[in-house]
Amino acid sequence: MLNRVVVAPSGFKESLSAEAAADAIAAGVRRVLPDAQIDLIPLVDGGEGTAVALAAATGGQLVTVPATGPVGETVGAHFALLGSGDTAVVEMAAVAGLSLVPRDQRDPGATTTYGVGELILAALDQGVRRILVGCGDSGTSDGGAGALQALGARLLDEDGFELGLGGRELSRLHRIDSSCLDTRLKDVELLVACNPYNVLCGERGVARVFGPQKGATPEQVEELSDALENWAFVLTRDVAVPDTDLRQGAGTGASGGLGAGLAALGAQLLPRFDVLLDHLDLDTRLARADLVITAEGALDHQTPRGKVPAEVARRAKLYDRPVLALAGTLGEGAQDVPGVDACHGILPAPMALSEALHRASDLLTDATERALRMIVLGTRLPLTLPGGAPETDAQTEVPETHARAEAPQTPAHADVSGTHRPSSVR
Protein backbone atom coordinates (compact mmCIF):
# COMPACT_ATOMS: atom_id res chain seq x y z
CA MET A 1 0.00 0.00 0.00
CA LEU A 2 2.98 2.29 0.53
CA ASN A 3 5.07 1.76 -2.55
CA ARG A 4 6.42 5.29 -3.01
CA VAL A 5 7.58 7.42 -0.09
CA VAL A 6 8.80 10.98 -0.52
CA VAL A 7 11.16 12.14 2.23
CA ALA A 8 11.33 15.95 2.24
CA PRO A 9 12.75 17.29 5.50
CA SER A 10 14.37 20.52 6.57
CA GLY A 11 17.63 20.46 8.48
CA PHE A 12 17.73 20.34 12.27
CA LYS A 13 19.57 23.50 13.36
CA GLU A 14 23.01 22.90 14.86
CA SER A 15 22.46 19.16 14.55
CA LEU A 16 21.55 17.63 11.16
CA SER A 17 21.74 19.02 7.66
CA ALA A 18 18.72 18.47 5.44
CA GLU A 19 20.67 15.76 3.62
CA ALA A 20 21.56 13.98 6.87
CA ALA A 21 17.95 14.21 8.07
CA ALA A 22 16.69 12.73 4.80
CA ASP A 23 19.16 9.83 5.05
CA ALA A 24 18.16 9.13 8.66
CA ILE A 25 14.45 9.07 7.80
CA ALA A 26 15.09 6.82 4.79
CA ALA A 27 16.89 4.33 7.04
CA GLY A 28 13.82 4.17 9.27
CA VAL A 29 11.51 3.69 6.28
CA ARG A 30 13.59 0.75 5.01
CA ARG A 31 13.25 -1.04 8.34
CA VAL A 32 9.48 -1.18 7.84
CA LEU A 33 9.11 -1.02 4.04
CA PRO A 34 12.28 -2.56 2.62
CA ASP A 35 10.90 -2.66 -0.92
CA ALA A 36 9.50 0.87 -1.03
CA GLN A 37 10.74 3.40 -3.56
CA ILE A 38 12.14 6.29 -1.52
CA ASP A 39 12.54 9.68 -3.14
CA LEU A 40 14.90 11.83 -1.06
CA ILE A 41 14.31 15.57 -1.36
CA PRO A 42 16.33 17.38 1.32
CA LEU A 43 14.84 20.86 1.34
CA VAL A 44 16.50 24.20 1.79
CA ASP A 45 14.89 27.36 3.07
CA GLY A 46 17.68 29.78 2.24
CA GLY A 47 19.71 28.79 5.29
CA GLU A 48 22.47 26.25 5.78
CA GLY A 49 23.00 23.95 2.81
CA THR A 50 21.20 26.11 0.26
CA ALA A 51 24.20 26.75 -1.99
CA VAL A 52 25.27 23.10 -1.95
CA ALA A 53 21.75 21.83 -2.70
CA LEU A 54 21.10 24.21 -5.59
CA ALA A 55 24.52 23.64 -7.12
CA ALA A 56 23.86 19.89 -7.07
CA ALA A 57 20.30 20.23 -8.38
CA THR A 58 21.34 22.35 -11.37
CA GLY A 59 24.67 20.77 -12.23
CA GLY A 60 26.50 23.85 -10.98
CA GLN A 61 29.55 24.27 -8.79
CA LEU A 62 30.65 25.72 -5.46
CA VAL A 63 33.19 28.53 -5.34
CA THR A 64 35.16 28.75 -2.09
CA VAL A 65 36.06 32.21 -0.82
CA PRO A 66 37.72 33.44 2.39
CA ALA A 67 35.48 36.08 3.94
CA THR A 68 34.77 37.93 7.17
CA GLY A 69 32.76 35.79 9.57
CA PRO A 70 30.08 37.04 11.96
CA VAL A 71 32.50 37.77 14.82
CA GLY A 72 35.04 39.48 12.56
CA GLU A 73 37.43 36.59 11.96
CA THR A 74 38.13 35.22 8.48
CA VAL A 75 36.25 32.01 7.69
CA GLY A 76 36.22 29.66 4.74
CA ALA A 77 32.96 30.54 2.96
CA HIS A 78 31.42 29.65 -0.38
CA PHE A 79 28.75 30.53 -2.91
CA ALA A 80 27.25 28.57 -5.77
CA LEU A 81 27.29 29.10 -9.51
CA LEU A 82 24.19 27.41 -10.93
CA GLY A 83 24.36 25.23 -13.99
CA SER A 84 22.98 27.99 -16.18
CA GLY A 85 26.20 29.94 -15.59
CA ASP A 86 24.46 33.30 -15.19
CA THR A 87 23.20 32.97 -11.60
CA ALA A 88 25.08 32.90 -8.31
CA VAL A 89 23.60 31.79 -4.99
CA VAL A 90 24.97 33.52 -1.92
CA GLU A 91 23.98 31.61 1.23
CA MET A 92 24.27 34.10 4.08
CA ALA A 93 24.55 31.29 6.65
CA ALA A 94 27.78 30.15 4.99
CA VAL A 95 29.49 33.31 6.19
CA ALA A 96 27.25 34.83 8.88
CA GLY A 97 25.30 31.89 10.28
CA LEU A 98 24.64 31.21 13.93
CA SER A 99 26.74 28.05 13.76
CA LEU A 100 29.76 30.27 13.06
CA VAL A 101 29.26 32.24 16.27
CA PRO A 102 30.94 30.58 19.30
CA ARG A 103 28.48 30.12 22.13
CA ASP A 104 30.46 32.42 24.41
CA GLN A 105 30.35 35.20 21.80
CA ARG A 106 26.63 35.19 20.96
CA ASP A 107 25.78 38.86 21.05
CA PRO A 108 23.63 39.87 18.06
CA GLY A 109 24.49 43.50 18.69
CA ALA A 110 28.12 42.77 17.80
CA THR A 111 27.94 40.25 14.94
CA THR A 112 28.12 41.38 11.32
CA THR A 113 26.98 40.55 7.79
CA TYR A 114 30.16 42.07 6.32
CA GLY A 115 31.09 38.70 4.82
CA VAL A 116 27.78 38.54 2.93
CA GLY A 117 28.79 41.69 1.06
CA GLU A 118 32.17 40.14 0.32
CA LEU A 119 30.50 37.06 -1.18
CA ILE A 120 28.30 39.30 -3.33
CA LEU A 121 31.44 41.05 -4.59
CA ALA A 122 33.04 37.68 -5.34
CA ALA A 123 29.93 36.68 -7.29
CA LEU A 124 30.09 39.93 -9.25
CA ASP A 125 33.68 39.05 -10.16
CA GLN A 126 32.30 35.93 -11.88
CA GLY A 127 30.31 38.10 -14.30
CA VAL A 128 26.89 36.75 -13.33
CA ARG A 129 23.68 38.54 -14.30
CA ARG A 130 21.65 37.43 -11.30
CA ILE A 131 22.51 36.98 -7.62
CA LEU A 132 20.15 35.06 -5.36
CA VAL A 133 20.78 35.63 -1.65
CA GLY A 134 19.42 32.91 0.62
CA CYS A 135 18.36 34.07 4.07
CA GLY A 136 18.13 31.81 7.08
CA ASP A 137 20.00 30.44 10.12
CA SER A 138 21.66 33.80 10.71
CA GLY A 139 23.74 34.76 13.71
CA THR A 140 23.41 38.48 13.06
CA SER A 141 21.04 41.39 13.67
CA ASP A 142 22.75 44.30 11.97
CA GLY A 143 20.03 45.06 9.41
CA GLY A 144 22.42 44.17 6.61
CA ALA A 145 24.62 47.14 7.53
CA GLY A 146 27.79 45.05 7.36
CA ALA A 147 26.93 43.82 3.86
CA LEU A 148 26.45 47.40 2.67
CA GLN A 149 29.75 48.43 4.25
CA ALA A 150 31.53 45.66 2.35
CA LEU A 151 29.83 46.79 -0.87
CA GLY A 152 31.19 50.31 -0.43
CA ALA A 153 28.65 52.25 1.64
CA ARG A 154 30.06 54.51 4.37
CA LEU A 155 28.04 54.64 7.58
CA LEU A 156 28.84 57.87 9.41
CA ASP A 157 28.16 59.17 12.90
CA GLU A 158 27.26 62.76 13.78
CA ASP A 159 30.90 63.81 13.60
CA GLY A 160 31.49 62.20 10.20
CA PHE A 161 33.44 59.21 11.50
CA GLU A 162 32.70 55.75 10.12
CA LEU A 163 30.87 53.32 12.34
CA GLY A 164 32.28 49.98 13.39
CA LEU A 165 30.62 46.64 12.67
CA GLY A 166 27.51 45.26 14.36
CA GLY A 167 23.91 46.24 14.92
CA ARG A 168 24.61 48.06 18.17
CA GLU A 169 26.63 50.65 16.26
CA LEU A 170 23.54 51.67 14.30
CA SER A 171 22.24 53.65 17.27
CA ARG A 172 24.97 56.21 16.42
CA LEU A 173 24.24 56.30 12.69
CA HIS A 174 23.65 59.83 11.38
CA ARG A 175 24.24 59.61 7.64
CA ILE A 176 25.01 57.10 4.87
CA ASP A 177 27.33 57.96 1.99
CA SER A 178 26.41 55.58 -0.84
CA SER A 179 28.54 57.23 -3.51
CA CYS A 180 31.17 54.50 -3.35
CA LEU A 181 28.83 51.51 -3.67
CA ASP A 182 30.09 49.02 -6.24
CA THR A 183 28.68 50.24 -9.56
CA ARG A 184 28.24 46.67 -10.86
CA LEU A 185 25.25 46.28 -8.54
CA LYS A 186 23.23 48.35 -11.02
CA ASP A 187 23.81 45.76 -13.75
CA VAL A 188 22.68 42.63 -11.90
CA GLU A 189 19.32 41.35 -10.74
CA LEU A 190 19.49 40.99 -6.97
CA LEU A 191 16.96 38.56 -5.48
CA VAL A 192 16.52 37.70 -1.82
CA ALA A 193 14.88 34.39 -0.88
CA CYS A 194 13.37 35.09 2.52
CA ASN A 195 10.58 34.40 4.97
CA PRO A 196 8.01 37.11 4.19
CA TYR A 197 6.68 36.97 7.77
CA ASN A 198 9.89 38.48 9.14
CA VAL A 199 9.91 42.28 9.44
CA LEU A 200 12.63 44.64 10.62
CA CYS A 201 10.93 46.80 13.24
CA GLY A 202 7.99 46.97 15.60
CA GLU A 203 6.64 44.53 18.15
CA ARG A 204 7.29 41.63 15.77
CA GLY A 205 10.62 43.01 14.61
CA VAL A 206 13.67 40.78 14.38
CA ALA A 207 15.36 42.11 17.51
CA ARG A 208 12.42 41.08 19.68
CA VAL A 209 11.49 37.84 17.92
CA PHE A 210 14.93 36.41 17.18
CA GLY A 211 17.33 38.40 19.35
CA PRO A 212 16.97 36.08 22.37
CA GLN A 213 17.64 33.02 20.19
CA LYS A 214 20.93 34.62 19.17
CA GLY A 215 22.03 35.37 22.71
CA ALA A 216 20.56 38.81 23.46
CA THR A 217 19.48 39.70 26.99
CA PRO A 218 16.17 41.60 27.45
CA GLU A 219 18.13 44.84 27.78
CA GLN A 220 20.11 44.09 24.60
CA VAL A 221 16.88 43.31 22.75
CA GLU A 222 15.53 46.79 23.46
CA GLU A 223 18.86 48.43 22.64
CA LEU A 224 19.08 46.59 19.32
CA SER A 225 15.44 47.28 18.50
CA ASP A 226 16.03 51.03 18.90
CA ALA A 227 19.22 50.81 16.79
CA LEU A 228 17.33 49.10 13.95
CA GLU A 229 14.61 51.75 14.09
CA ASN A 230 17.31 54.36 13.52
CA TRP A 231 18.84 52.24 10.75
CA ALA A 232 15.49 52.00 8.97
CA PHE A 233 14.99 55.77 9.17
CA VAL A 234 18.45 56.76 7.88
CA LEU A 235 18.58 54.00 5.29
CA THR A 236 15.20 55.03 3.89
CA ARG A 237 16.19 58.69 3.76
CA ASP A 238 19.69 58.31 2.26
CA VAL A 239 19.70 55.14 0.17
CA ALA A 240 16.44 53.32 -0.42
CA VAL A 241 14.54 53.37 -3.68
CA PRO A 242 11.30 55.42 -3.38
CA ASP A 243 8.24 53.89 -1.70
CA THR A 244 10.21 51.09 -0.05
CA ASP A 245 8.93 50.17 3.42
CA LEU A 246 12.04 49.06 5.26
CA ARG A 247 10.40 48.94 8.70
CA GLN A 248 7.45 46.63 8.11
CA GLY A 249 7.80 45.44 4.52
CA ALA A 250 7.48 41.68 3.99
CA GLY A 251 10.85 40.01 4.42
CA THR A 252 12.73 43.10 5.63
CA GLY A 253 13.60 41.29 8.85
CA ALA A 254 15.07 38.27 7.08
CA SER A 255 18.39 37.15 8.56
CA GLY A 256 18.52 39.82 11.22
CA GLY A 257 17.41 42.55 8.82
CA LEU A 258 19.66 41.66 5.91
CA GLY A 259 16.50 41.80 3.81
CA ALA A 260 16.07 45.49 4.60
CA GLY A 261 19.66 46.35 3.79
CA LEU A 262 19.51 44.66 0.39
CA ALA A 263 16.01 45.98 -0.36
CA ALA A 264 17.43 49.49 0.02
CA LEU A 265 19.74 48.66 -2.90
CA GLY A 266 16.77 47.62 -5.03
CA ALA A 267 16.77 43.90 -4.32
CA GLN A 268 13.50 42.01 -4.72
CA LEU A 269 12.44 40.26 -1.51
CA LEU A 270 10.66 37.07 -2.57
CA PRO A 271 9.02 34.23 -0.63
CA ARG A 272 11.84 31.76 -0.30
CA PHE A 273 9.99 28.63 -1.36
CA ASP A 274 8.73 30.27 -4.56
CA VAL A 275 12.35 30.95 -5.46
CA LEU A 276 14.12 27.84 -4.21
CA LEU A 277 11.87 24.81 -4.61
CA ASP A 278 11.25 25.10 -8.34
CA HIS A 279 14.85 24.01 -8.86
CA LEU A 280 14.00 20.71 -7.14
CA ASP A 281 10.82 19.86 -9.13
CA LEU A 282 9.09 19.29 -5.78
CA ASP A 283 5.47 19.34 -6.94
CA THR A 284 5.94 16.65 -9.58
CA ARG A 285 7.67 14.38 -7.10
CA LEU A 286 5.04 14.89 -4.40
CA ALA A 287 2.28 14.01 -6.86
CA ARG A 288 3.79 10.53 -7.33
CA ALA A 289 3.97 9.74 -3.60
CA ASP A 290 1.85 7.34 -1.54
CA LEU A 291 3.16 8.96 1.65
CA VAL A 292 5.10 12.16 2.29
CA ILE A 293 7.41 12.45 5.31
CA THR A 294 8.78 15.83 6.32
CA ALA A 295 10.67 16.97 9.41
CA GLU A 296 12.26 19.87 11.26
CA GLY A 297 13.79 20.59 14.64
CA ALA A 298 10.62 22.00 16.21
CA LEU A 299 7.01 21.70 15.11
CA ASP A 300 4.75 24.32 16.71
CA HIS A 301 2.57 27.36 16.12
CA GLN A 302 5.39 29.06 14.19
CA THR A 303 5.67 26.24 11.65
CA PRO A 304 2.90 27.63 9.38
CA ARG A 305 4.81 30.93 9.25
CA GLY A 306 7.13 29.95 6.42
CA LYS A 307 8.71 26.72 7.69
CA VAL A 308 9.55 23.74 5.47
CA PRO A 309 7.01 21.19 6.85
CA ALA A 310 4.13 23.62 6.33
CA GLU A 311 5.16 24.28 2.74
CA VAL A 312 5.61 20.58 2.01
CA ALA A 313 2.20 19.82 3.52
CA ARG A 314 0.54 22.62 1.59
CA ARG A 315 1.91 21.38 -1.71
CA ALA A 316 1.26 17.71 -0.93
CA LYS A 317 -2.40 18.47 -0.23
CA LEU A 318 -2.75 19.87 -3.76
CA TYR A 319 -2.47 16.18 -4.79
CA ASP A 320 -4.31 14.78 -1.75
CA ARG A 321 -1.20 13.06 -0.41
CA PRO A 322 -0.96 12.09 3.30
CA VAL A 323 1.76 13.86 5.27
CA LEU A 324 3.68 12.70 8.35
CA ALA A 325 5.81 15.31 10.15
CA LEU A 326 8.64 14.36 12.51
CA ALA A 327 10.23 16.85 14.90
CA GLY A 328 12.79 17.11 17.64
CA THR A 329 10.20 18.84 19.81
CA LEU A 330 6.43 19.17 19.51
CA GLY A 331 5.25 22.48 20.86
CA GLU A 332 1.94 24.28 21.13
CA GLY A 333 0.08 24.11 17.84
CA ALA A 334 2.03 21.14 16.47
CA GLN A 335 -1.16 19.21 15.80
CA ASP A 336 -2.74 22.15 13.98
CA VAL A 337 -0.26 22.68 11.13
CA PRO A 338 -2.44 22.78 7.98
CA GLY A 339 -1.95 19.77 5.75
CA VAL A 340 -0.05 17.67 8.29
CA ASP A 341 -2.05 14.50 8.96
CA ALA A 342 0.17 13.13 11.73
CA CYS A 343 3.04 14.46 13.81
CA HIS A 344 5.51 12.50 15.91
CA GLY A 345 8.29 13.60 18.26
CA ILE A 346 11.63 11.86 17.90
CA LEU A 347 12.61 11.74 21.58
CA PRO A 348 11.70 8.40 23.23
CA ALA A 349 12.37 9.82 26.69
CA PRO A 350 13.54 13.07 28.31
CA MET A 351 17.24 13.73 27.73
CA ALA A 352 19.77 16.55 27.82
CA LEU A 353 19.84 18.82 24.77
CA SER A 354 23.50 17.99 24.16
CA GLU A 355 22.69 14.28 24.05
CA ALA A 356 19.70 14.83 21.76
CA LEU A 357 21.82 16.85 19.34
CA HIS A 358 24.56 14.23 19.37
CA ARG A 359 22.15 11.33 18.79
CA ALA A 360 19.83 13.15 16.40
CA SER A 361 20.42 10.87 13.42
CA ASP A 362 19.71 7.65 15.34
CA LEU A 363 16.75 9.22 17.13
CA LEU A 364 15.23 10.32 13.82
CA THR A 365 15.69 6.88 12.27
CA ASP A 366 14.10 5.14 15.25
CA ALA A 367 11.19 7.61 15.37
CA THR A 368 10.52 7.07 11.67
CA GLU A 369 10.35 3.34 12.24
CA ARG A 370 7.94 3.73 15.18
CA ALA A 371 5.64 6.08 13.30
CA LEU A 372 5.54 3.93 10.18
CA ARG A 373 4.78 0.77 12.14
CA MET A 374 1.76 2.56 13.63
CA ILE A 375 0.64 3.66 10.18
CA VAL A 376 1.02 0.15 8.77
CA LEU A 377 -0.90 -1.26 11.76
CA GLY A 378 -3.68 1.25 11.14
CA THR A 379 -4.08 0.08 7.56
CA ARG A 380 -4.68 -3.48 8.82
CA LEU A 381 -7.42 -2.67 11.34
CA PRO A 382 -10.97 -3.68 10.35
CA LEU A 383 -13.23 -0.91 9.15
CA THR A 384 -16.31 -0.01 11.20
CA LEU A 385 -19.72 0.08 9.56
CA PRO A 386 -22.40 2.68 10.43
CA GLY A 387 -23.87 1.64 13.79
CA GLY A 388 -20.55 0.49 15.18
CA ALA A 389 -20.51 -3.11 13.87
CA PRO A 390 -17.16 -4.15 12.38
CA GLU A 391 -17.18 -5.51 8.87
CA THR A 392 -17.18 -9.30 8.49
CA ASP A 393 -16.11 -11.41 5.58
CA ALA A 394 -19.76 -12.04 4.75
CA GLN A 395 -20.57 -8.35 4.76
CA THR A 396 -17.68 -7.52 2.48
CA GLU A 397 -18.10 -10.32 -0.06
CA VAL A 398 -18.42 -9.06 -3.60
CA PRO A 399 -19.14 -11.17 -6.67
CA GLU A 400 -15.91 -11.89 -8.49
CA THR A 401 -16.93 -10.06 -11.64
CA HIS A 402 -17.87 -6.94 -9.67
CA ALA A 403 -14.72 -7.09 -7.59
CA ARG A 404 -12.61 -7.27 -10.69
CA ALA A 405 -14.41 -4.32 -12.28
CA GLU A 406 -14.25 -2.15 -9.21
CA ALA A 407 -10.70 -2.89 -8.09
CA PRO A 408 -8.69 0.27 -7.62
CA GLN A 409 -6.21 0.97 -10.36
CA THR A 410 -3.66 2.71 -8.12
CA PRO A 411 -2.26 1.79 -4.68
CA ALA A 412 -4.43 2.94 -1.80
CA HIS A 413 -3.04 5.66 0.41
CA ALA A 414 -2.44 4.99 4.08
CA ASP A 415 -4.90 6.54 6.50
CA VAL A 416 -2.64 8.39 8.94
CA SER A 417 -5.40 10.19 10.81
CA GLY A 418 -5.12 7.77 13.73
CA THR A 419 -1.73 9.19 14.67
CA HIS A 420 -2.74 12.83 14.32
CA ARG A 421 -2.34 13.71 18.00
CA PRO A 422 1.22 14.67 18.98
CA SER A 423 3.34 12.39 21.11
CA SER A 424 3.20 13.02 24.83
CA VAL A 425 6.98 12.99 24.92
CA ARG A 426 8.28 16.53 24.88
Side-chain angles (χ1 to χ4, degrees), residues 3-59:
N3 296 324
R4 297 179 297 275
V5 179
V6 164
V7 176
S10 173
F12 285 42
K13 287 181 174 54
E14 299 189 77
S15 178
L16 295 174
S17 67
E19 291 81 4
D23 289 340
I25 293 170
V29 171
R30 292 189 184 98
R31 291 178 183 176
V32 184
L33 304 170
D35 298 325
Q37 299 175 25
I38 304 175
D39 186 5
L40 299 183
I41 317 176
L43 294 181
V44 293
D45 60 3
E48 292 180 358
T50 294
V52 171
L54 294 187
T58 64

Side-chain angles (χ1 to χ4, degrees), residues 252-263:
T252 53
S255 288
L258 176 64
L262 297 180

Side-chain angles (χ1 to χ4, degrees), residues 297-321:
L299 197 74
D300 54 31
H301 66 280
Q302 293 194 48
T303 300
R305 298 177 64 84
K307 299 295 185 67
V308 163
E311 181 67 12
V312 170
R314 183 187 72 80
R315 293 183 181 225
K317 281 299 175 283
L318 296 176
Y319 310 99
D320 196 28
R321 298 305 186 245

Side-chain angles (χ1 to χ4, degrees), residues 204-266:
R204 296 295 300 172
V206 289
R208 292 192 170 92
V209 175
F210 298 106
Q213 298 177 15
K214 300 174 184 180
T217 65
E219 294 77 15
Q220 290 173 324
V221 165
E222 294 306 315
E223 176 188 33
L224 189 53
S225 181
D226 291 342
L228 291 175
E229 287 280 2
N230 187 51
W231 170 242
F233 172 76
V234 179
L235 189 62
T236 299
R237 183 194 66 198
D238 293 353
V239 180
V241 296
D243 301 321
T244 302
D245 181 4
L246 299 183
R247 289 189 71 257
Q248 292 281 305
T252 53
S255 288
L258 176 64
L262 297 180
L265 302 181

Side-chain angles (χ1 to χ4, degrees), residues 51-61 80-85 87 89 278-280:
V52 171
L54 294 187
T58 64
Q61 62 178 313
L81 286 177
L82 300 190
S84 61
T87 300
V89 177
D278 287 345
H279 293 288
L280 304 176

Side-chain angles (χ1 to χ4, degrees), residues 118-134:
E118 291 177 317
L119 290 186
I120 292 174
L121 291 175
L124 289 172
D125 290 341
Q126 296 287 328
V128 297
R129 296 190 299 107
R130 182 183 302 105
I131 298 177
L132 171 60
V133 179

